[in-house]
Amino acid sequence: MVFWLFLLAALTGHAQTVLSMPTGLVSVEGQIAAVVVQADGKVVIGGIFSAVDSVARGNIARLNADGTVDATWNPGADGPVAALALSGNTVYAGGFFLNIGGQPRTNIAAIDATSGLATTWNPNADLDVLTLAVSAGTVYVGGDFATIGGQSRPFIAALDATSGLATGWNPSGADGTVNALALSGSTVLAGGSFANMAGQPRANLAAINAITGSATSWNPNADNAVFTVVTSGNTVYAGGLFANIGGQSRAHLAAIDATTGSATAWNPGADSGVEALALAGNTVYAGGRFAHIGGQPRAYIAAIDATSGSATAWNPHADKRDVITLAVSGSIVYAGGNFVTMGGAFTGGFARIDATTGIAAATPQIFATPVVLAFQAQADGKVIVGGLFTSINNVARRNIARLDVDGSVDPGWDPGADDQVNALARSGNTIYAGGFFRHIGGQPRAFIAAIDAITGTATAWNPGADRHVDALAVSGSVVYAGGRFTLIGGAPRAFIAAIDATTGMATAWNPGADHRIQAIAVSGSSIYVGGRFTHMGGQPRTYIAALDATTGLATAWNPAADNFVDAFALSGNTLYAGGRFGHIGGQPRGRLAAIDATSGLTTAWSPFADGPVDALALSGNTVYAAGLFAHVAGQPRANIAAIDAGSGLATAWNSGTDNGIAALALSGGTLYVGGIFTSIGDYPRTGIATLTTPTDEIFHDGFGLHP
């Protein structure tokens, strides 16, 4: 599972003028990404949410055994919580936050289970923590980080449970995200999206000696990502996106012999990704995105016989979206995810299900701030909005909408996506959309679609990807798509593809990347790409590359970033880049850089942001940057800044938000801002807002005054 994550950075300055367009979004059901059950029956939940049963709770909460909110326990994380683990009186939390339990803690913390306060344990991960496992005084951690516990530990580490320092255990050579960890005796099992682990080629699943940190000979060799791993005796259960694992064809779910690494005969066969597993006796509980598993129709959640591989009669039937996390305690199955209903009841992202009947018990309602992830301005001044929401200004719209020039919702345009929209692009009268959806514009469309800008219906164009699309760009008759897919337009394409805008088929252009694509920009015969890859177009290219539009091969242009590149903006011969990097083009550049589009060298422009930059926009001599930061160019700027394109200095324009920004777009003199914030420029705005952009005529004293 991938979800957009941001942190809180609550700084304020002179308020930028916010236009009067109606921009409030009503609350939607929150996402639960992690669940752990305490010995006393209380349940700790983590994810992305702002309230539980109308009780304010920031992304982490504890429920009493009867399902009510524990009023005495409130650590309050300022960013998403993706992983939880228990050890005695300590709750370990991982995710993408800056503060939790009343203390500054970057992406990982230990919380006192009695007080809800953070302990002194502080490993300080530089990027998100996605999975945790605890054993005998050691906390094993996986995610996207490069440093943790004071040491370089890319993607996987072991931390001393007392000091928080990284131990000597170091499976060096890990080259991709670790999504799941499981412990089995003296072995640490790791699943994720990697090609190498602990100095050995290990595709997406590996076993590591818990003493030495070396990879064992066990090698199931999964052909796609592994999201979840659990063990029982001599069997390792794995779920993910794979079609082959352990030497056998196994669709998304498999049982693997813990000694040989071969898949057993157990073969439930899911029709889409498996994201969560839990074991109880002879039953394997599975959650994910599937509609069929174990030979039966089962929507997103199922119980599977551990002997036969068949689905049992247990059938809670989740509605609308995936199940991300599962836990079993006694006669209750706890499920968390993006769903709205489960077991016949409205549950809103968290459910307590009877393990016998499949009926959901009374469940608290989880609410979250809506997310706006993408904009696309039309020639007529209307703006398309994409993200994860159920309404805009109290007008029902699912994940995609259009705003008229006055900011009101266009009443005649309603494509209605059944899941998150990550990316938008436009060509004439066609709007291209990418994301997590399976239906949009009234038609089944897997992760990518073309929408008629007049009617809002999906056109016949239907490339059909096997996993989500995160970036789009259009050039002439070609639609460039990037994301996490390995199949699109009827052909195998690793993370990036060129699709014929008429037929929907993949062209022969096939650069092939080794990891996710986050950003695409087109300039003449060059296709610039950014993301998480280390190889692209047949060459080693770390996180940023230029591809030949004819051959698909990487050009000699090679700025070589040292961390992820997530956003681009082009101006003439200058490519502006934002992301997580500290160095790019051979120079130190704090998450923002300007790169010569011909030579690949960085210019002298160096604003330096102290947190990730996820969106960029250009207007004349101004570069707008947004994301997750608190300072830019030495000035306090909460998540958004206007930077002089010549000097690299922050201008006086200063509109702070109380949470992260994911998308920017300019239309005329208006800057559209999207994210998960609830206020901007001292005005209440939930998820989306418009700001004036300063010009010589209307700029004054830090305020853009609307003419």
Side-chain angles (χ1 to χ4, degrees):
M1 188 283 305
V2 178
F3 199 86
W4 178 77
L5 304 176
F6 266 118
L7 318 178
L8 174 68
L11 294 175
T12 58
H14 291 299
Q16 171 63 28
T17 299
V18 180
L19 302 189
S20 59
M21 65 172 280
T23 55
L25 300 183
V26 299
S27 292
V28 298
E29 293 75 25
Q31 172 186 288
I32 304 301
V35 175
V36 291
V37 184
Q38 297 184 178
D40 60 3
K42 292 185 177 183
V43 181
V44 181
I45 57 175
I48 302 177
F49 53 87
S50 54
V52 180
D53 267 353
S54 300
V55 179
R57 287 292 183 271
N59 303 313
I60 184 170
R62 187 164 65 188
L63 309 177
N64 295 315
D66 62 0
T68 59
V69 180
D70 186 336
T72 66
W73 200 81
N74 185 18
D78 63 3
V81 173
L84 294 167
L86 284 171
S87 180
N89 199 47
T90 301
V91 178
Y92 293 96
F96 203 18
F97 46 78
L98 288 176
N99 295 274
I100 191 171
Q103 297 295 327
R105 294 289 184 269
T106 306
N107 303 323
I108 186 168
I111 309 296
D112 187 284
T114 302
S115 66
L117 299 177
T119 72
T120 57
W121 193 79
N122 187 14
N124 189 31
D126 66 341
L127 273 175
D128 46 311
V129 170
L130 301 176
T131 182
L132 296 165
V134 185
S135 176
T138 301
V139 182
Y140 294 93
V141 186
D144 280 323
F145 51 82
T147 62
I148 192 171
Q151 299 293 328
S152 172
R153 293 288 187 270
F155 305 108
I156 187 168
L159 306 172
D160 186 283
T162 302
S163 68
L165 298 176
T167 71
W169 189 82
N170 184 13
S172 59
D175 60 359
T177 303
V178 173
N179 297 319
L181 293 170
L183 306 178
S184 179
S186 60
T187 301
V188 179
L189 297 164
S193 299
F194 48 80
N196 296 278
M197 178 65 70
Q200 298 294 324
R202 293 291 183 268
N204 305 311
L205 183 59
I208 307 160
N209 187 293
I211 306 297
T212 66
S214 300
T216 73
S217 59
W218 190 81
N219 186 15
N221 192 31
D223 68 350
N224 210 327
V226 172
F227 291 146
T228 179
V229 178
V230 295
T231 66
S232 177
N234 198 49
T235 302
V236 176
Y237 295 94
L241 292 176
F242 50 81
N244 291 274
I245 192 171
Q248 300 293 327
S249 173
R250 293 291 183 269
H252 308 297
L253 179 60
I256 304 161
D257 187 287
T259 303
T260 66
S262 298
T264 72
W266 190 81
N267 186 14
D271 64 353
S272 192
V274 173
E275 302 178 49
L277 293 171
L279 303 176
N282 198 49
T283 301
V284 180
Y285 293 95
R289 287 181 166 265
F290 50 81
H292 288 80
I293 193 170
Q296 299 293 328
R298 293 290 183 269
Y300 307 110
I301 187 169
I304 303 164
D305 187 282
T307 303
S308 68
S310 298
T312 72
W314 190 82
N315 187 13
H317 186 87
D319 178 45
K320 298 183 185 293
R321 301 193 197 101
D322 51 338
V323 172
I324 297 169
T325 184
L326 291 169
V328 183
S329 180
S331 62
I332 298 176
V333 179
Y334 297 91
N338 294 316
F339 49 83
V340 177
T341 65
M342 173 83 77
F346 177 84
T347 55
F350 175 73
R352 301 186 307 157
I353 310 158
D354 188 287
T356 302
T357 66
I359 297 173
T363 307
Q365 295 184 30
I366 316 293
F367 293 98
T369 301
V371 181
V372 171
L373 296 170
F375 293 115
Q376 181 60 58
Q378 296 186 178
D380 60 3
K382 294 183 179 182
V383 175
I384 311 294
V385 180
L388 185 63
F389 48 81
T390 56
S391 70
I392 294 184
N393 195 39
N394 295 318
V395 177
R397 288 292 185 272
R398 289 202 64 195
N399 306 316
I400 185 168
R402 184 163 65 190
L403 306 178
D404 283 321
V405 292
D406 64 356
S408 62
V409 177
D410 185 335
W413 200 82
D414 185 15
D418 65 352
D419 209 335
Q420 182 171 306
V421 174
N422 296 332
L424 295 165
R426 181 178 66 88
S427 178
N429 203 41
T430 302
I431 305 297
Y432 295 96
F436 285 89
F437 52 81
R438 295 300 186 91
H439 289 79
I440 191 171
Q443 298 294 326
R445 294 290 183 268
F447 307 111
I448 185 169
I451 311 296
D452 187 287
I454 296 175
T455 65
T457 57
T459 72
W461 191 81
N462 186 14
D466 65 346
R467 202 175 174 193
H468 58 89
V469 172
D470 296 320
L472 293 168
V474 184
S475 180
S477 62
V478 176
V479 179
Y480 294 95
R484 283 208 174 205
F485 52 81
T486 57
L487 180 73
I488 193 170
R493 292 292 183 268
F495 306 106
I496 186 167
I499 305 165
D500 188 287
T502 301
T503 66
M505 303 301 292
T507 72
W509 191 82
N510 186 14
D514 64 350
H515 214 302
R516 182 178 175 184
I517 306 300
Q518 295 283 93
I520 302 174
V522 181
S523 179
S525 63
S526 294
I527 313 300
Y528 297 97
V529 292
R532 298 187 174 194
F533 53 84
T534 57
H535 285 78
M536 170 70 70
Q539 297 294 326
R541 291 290 184 269
T542 53
Y543 312 122
I544 186 169
L547 304 170
D548 187 283
T550 302
T551 66
L553 298 176
T555 72
W557 190 86
N558 186 15
D562 64 353
N563 211 325
F564 306 148
V565 174
D566 297 321
F568 285 146
L570 266 169
S571 177
N573 199 48
T574 301
L575 178 70
Y576 293 94
R580 273 79 171 152
F581 52 83
H583 288 77
I584 193 169
Q587 299 294 326
R589 292 291 183 270
R591 302 170 183 88
L592 268 171
I595 306 165
D596 188 288
T598 303
S599 68
L601 299 176
T602 53
T603 73
W605 192 80
S606 182
F608 189 87
D610 63 358
V613 173
D614 292 280
L616 294 168
L618 300 174
S619 178
N621 199 46
T622 302
V623 180
Y624 293 96
L628 196 60
F629 46 80
H631 294 81
V632 169
Q635 298 297 319
R637 295 291 185 269
N639 306 318
I640 186 168
I643 305 162
D644 188 281
S647 67
L649 298 177
T651 73
W653 187 92
N654 184 10
S655 180
T657 63
D658 66 348
N659 216 326
I661 295 172
L664 295 174
L666 283 157
S667 181
T670 300
L671 179 67
Y672 289 82
V673 182
I676 60 170
F677 50 83
T678 58
S679 69
I680 185 167
D682 296 333
Y683 289 79
R685 292 291 186 272
T686 305
I688 182 172
T690 55
L691 304 173
T692 57
T693 57
T695 68
D696 290 340
E697 290 77 20
I698 63 175
F699 183 73
H700 175 68
D701 194 27
F703 292 80
L705 305 177
H706 190 54

